[in-house]
Each structure stands twice: as C-alpha cells, then as structure tokens.
Amino acid sequence: MNRLIIIGNAFNLANSFKTSYADFLLFYLKKAFKECDVHNKYNDELINIVKHDNYTGIQNPDFTA
C-alpha cells in the first residue's frame, strides 16, 4: 500500500518561501511564455502556445521570470 504523509511545520511560510500552488502556477506559466517568446511556440502535456506574426511582446512589466 502506498501512502503520502504530509507534515507541515510552517517553515516555508515563516521564511517567505514561495511554495503555494499559485506560486507554482505563476512560475510554470512564466516559463512557458518565455520559451514561446524565444522559440515561437511552447508545447507540453498541459499547454500549447503558438506565437503569431502580429505578436508585439509581453506588455506587462511585472511578467518577468
């Protein structure tokens, strides 16, 4: 029988580590869009992104990896 036991001691929260699901999702999307910006496309098991000819770049200055 397989078991997963998660014990939380709030070490990550006390030290301001970005370990929430939202932090992971933002990291994942930044990585995907950055690779798409360089290679004109990004594809994995979860997402497929294609950059079109009229693309002018990421307009949000907070969107940096």
Side-chain angles (χ1 to χ4, degrees):
M1 176 169 55
N2 295 329
R3 289 187 192 181
L4 174 62
I5 300 172
I6 300 173
I7 300 172
N9 62 2
F11 178 82
N12 58 337
L13 299 176
N15 291 289
S16 301
F17 293 148
K18 295 188 180 265
T19 56
S20 71
Y21 181 74
D23 293 324
F24 166 74
L25 190 57
L26 186 58
F27 164 79
Y28 171 76
L29 290 174
K30 283 181 181 180
K31 177 181 164 276
F33 280 104
K34 190 173 186 179
E35 186 167 327
C36 179
D37 196 28
V38 173
H39 300 289
N40 296 328
K41 63 182 176 178
Y42 177 81
N43 187 24
D44 67 12
E45 297 84 17
L46 300 176
I47 192 169
N48 183 27
I49 306 169
V50 177
K51 183 168 68 169
H52 294 282
D53 293 336
N54 60 350
Y55 176 76
T56 59
I58 297 171
Q59 301 302 317
N60 185 350
D62 294 331
F63 195 75
T64 56

